Amino acid sequence: MGSKPHILVVDDEMGPRESLKMILNPYYTIHIAERGTQVTEILDKFPIDLVTLDLKMPGLNGINVLELVKQKDPDIEAIIITGYGSLDTAIEGLRLGAFDYISKPFDVNHILSLVKRGLERRHAKAKLRQVKSDFISNISHELRTPLSVVVGFVYLLLNQVIGKLSDDQQKILETVYRNSEELLELVDNVLWMTSLNAGDSSTLVDEFEVRQLLQETLKRYQKLAQDKGLKITVDVPDFRLTVSNDRNKVERIIQNILSNAVKFTQQGEICIGLSPCADRGGVNLEITDTGVGIPANKLATLYEPFQHLDSLAHRASAGLDLGLAVARRMAELVGAEIEITSEPNQGTRVLMHFPSQPSAPLPAQQTPVLEEQRRYG
């Protein structure tokens, strides 16, 4: 029973609703919604694969329900059940992502064929997504190893461990090092996102000092900020601030937020403040920049991967805009919070809260898809 695909039939009329249930029940697990308002609750409870929708319903009509379904999971297929008079609306449903439509009264073989083909398309999309995910993960792993070697050897050259450098050689190698580090950071974020999308929620909890972690992370971006003429001010207390959490994930969150601040600030300053949180415990970390800022209509999609903001300053910056998406997903895993406020051409303020310890027991550490490695320098 559990292996059968789940079909949701949404229809306020008993006749068509019971007919569909009788036709589909031998082959699929059927769920019934008499009103559009019941759909969200059913989608939250069951892994729905396909929905059949009556267009004309009181309250939420079929188009409204289709929008709800696609917001919940764009890959859920939808078949619209329509009368002749609502054919134009059915075509509108196809534009919104419905798989197909069928007119009342429907033919048994036709509806069975449509449902079968809809489920086949859902399966094909899931398979394609997995192939793409595996390909990206494998390519990223293959890129990371030689990149790490390049970064390591360039670091040795820059520190003149192998031999003396002229001023011109130093400048060239600094450029190579900086760009290699940016590419390595991008590859790491791709690997993290692939790992998170695959359901890897493994977490290793340990106590660590947040001031030290912040100072180590800041070292990565000081040279780039200096080259851009940016001023960095840091305000941290003179006493220890410790939390018990996954150090690698907290480090990645801070690194991605700080990287964006440096990347998208062309002039001015970046202010970093670390303080204990008196009312909730844990620590607050605030990073404010005078960069390009973010339009209000873009804030809602800010945490979605590959959402490159449409401005010259953002397009001129390298990367796939995965940093915030990875940071948000990791914050959910470690119980942290991220709040972003911004105005175009005025800068961005990011406030992060890291609890003193996880609010709930975190999963035991598994062999991770990506094992975070210490960077050279």
Side-chain angles (χ1 to χ4, degrees):
M1 193 74 171
S3 63
K4 290 182 180 180
H6 288 250
I7 309 294
L8 172 58
V9 176
V10 186
D11 201 314
D12 66 313
E13 295 184 49
M14 180 180 292
R17 187 173 68 235
E18 292 302 314
S19 296
L20 282 170
K21 181 179 179 180
M22 183 176 64
I23 293 168
L24 300 173
N25 198 53
Y27 314 101
Y28 311 109
T29 300
I30 306 302
H31 307 274
I32 299 294
E34 301 176 12
R35 302 180 304 278
T37 52
Q38 297 173 318
V39 169
T40 301
E41 182 180 351
I42 294 173
L43 291 175
D44 289 337
K45 279 187 177 181
F46 303 101
I48 301 300
D49 297 291
L50 183 142
V51 177
T52 68
L53 291 171
D54 180 28
L55 281 180
K56 292 188 175 180
M57 294 186 296
L60 288 176
N61 61 33
I63 294 298
N64 298 142
V65 173
L66 177 59
E67 291 173 338
L68 280 176
V69 169
K70 291 299 181 179
Q71 287 173 8
K72 181 69 176 177
D73 181 355
D75 288 342
I76 294 177
E77 298 297 346
I79 296 174
I80 291 174
I81 311 294
T82 178
Y84 177 77
S86 55
L87 184 58
D88 290 342
T89 312
I91 294 172
E92 174 65 18
L94 295 180
R95 284 197 287 265
L96 289 173
F99 171 65
D100 210 333
Y101 69 91
I102 186 170
S103 299
K104 296 178 182 179
F106 43 79
D107 177 79
V108 172
N109 290 329
H110 190 190
I111 191 68
L112 284 173
S113 175
L114 276 184
V115 169
K116 181 181 178 182
R117 288 193 288 114
L119 291 171
E120 287 173 349
R121 188 169 85 158
R122 175 170 169 80
H123 177 72
K125 287 193 291 187
K127 187 175 181 180
L128 177 60
R129 187 168 55 250
Q130 184 60 48
V131 169
K132 289 166 64 178
S133 177
D134 291 344
F135 174 77
I136 291 172
S137 180
N138 291 334
I139 289 295
S140 299
H141 274 292
E142 293 298 322
L143 285 171
R144 196 184 197 285
T145 300
L147 267 174
S148 298
V149 173
V150 169
V151 170
F153 277 114
V154 172
Y155 175 75
L156 293 176
L157 291 170
L158 280 173
N159 284 273
Q160 304 191 39
V161 174
I162 299 174
K164 295 293 183 181
L165 296 174
S166 67
D167 290 343
D168 289 340
Q169 290 171 331
Q170 184 84 15
K171 290 179 181 178
I172 291 171
L173 284 174
E174 284 175 354
T175 302
V176 173
Y177 183 79
R178 183 172 61 250
N179 283 277
S180 298
E181 278 274 274
E182 287 180 2
L183 186 54
L184 191 56
E185 184 175 298
L186 186 153
V187 170
D188 277 350
N189 275 325
V190 170
L191 285 170
W192 276 117
M193 182 57 72
T194 304
S195 173
L196 292 166
N197 286 340
D200 178 20
S201 59
S202 56
T203 312
L204 181 62
V205 179
D206 197 9
E207 186 175 270
F208 60 91
E209 216 277 303
V210 184
R211 291 181 314 164
Q212 180 185 4
L213 177 62
L214 177 61
Q215 290 165 358
E216 292 173 1
T217 306
L218 187 57
K219 287 179 183 178
R220 299 173 51 84
Y221 303 101
Q222 283 179 326
K223 185 64 170 65
L224 177 58
Q226 181 181 333
D227 291 344
K228 296 175 73 173
L230 302 178
K231 178 184 178 183
I232 296 183
T233 59
V234 182
D235 181 17
V236 297
D238 57 1
F239 51 85
R240 289 173 57 84
L241 290 173
T242 60
V243 298
S244 293
N245 217 312
D246 188 311
R247 190 184 194 280
N248 283 339
K249 288 183 174 59
V250 172
E251 180 179 20
R252 173 58 57 170
I253 293 169
I254 297 173
Q255 179 178 313
N256 284 0
I257 299 298
L258 188 55
S259 174
N260 272 10
V262 176
K263 185 188 300 182
F264 296 125
T265 303
Q266 304 307 318
Q267 59 183 2
E269 64 178 340
I270 296 171
C271 300
I272 302 170
L274 181 67
S275 61
C277 183
D279 55 340
R280 292 190 292 168
V283 298
N284 289 334
L285 174 61
E286 182 178 337
I287 299 179
T288 305
D289 64 60
T290 57
V292 295
I294 304 161
N297 63 343
K298 296 292 184 180
L299 284 172
T301 61
L302 197 58
Y303 294 117
E304 296 177 14
F306 311 113
Q307 295 296 314
H308 223 27
L309 298 181
D310 189 20
S311 71
L312 289 174
H314 281 88
R315 290 199 300 268
S317 301
L320 296 175
D321 283 358
L322 279 172
L324 286 176
V326 170
R328 180 184 66 85
R329 295 282 296 276
M330 287 189 171
E332 292 172 355
L333 286 179
V334 302
E337 298 174 9
I338 301 176
E339 177 187 327
I340 298 180
T341 54
S342 184
E343 291 185 25
N345 303 316
Q346 298 295 318
T348 300
R349 172 183 176 267
V350 182
L351 178 62
M352 291 162 275
H353 173 74
F354 298 101
S356 55
Q357 58 184 10
S359 56
L362 294 174
Q365 175 69 34
Q366 306 292 330
T367 302
V369 175
L370 168 68
E371 181 177 330
E372 184 77 335
Q373 299 178 9
R374 292 288 178 193
R375 299 292 181 81
Y376 294 94

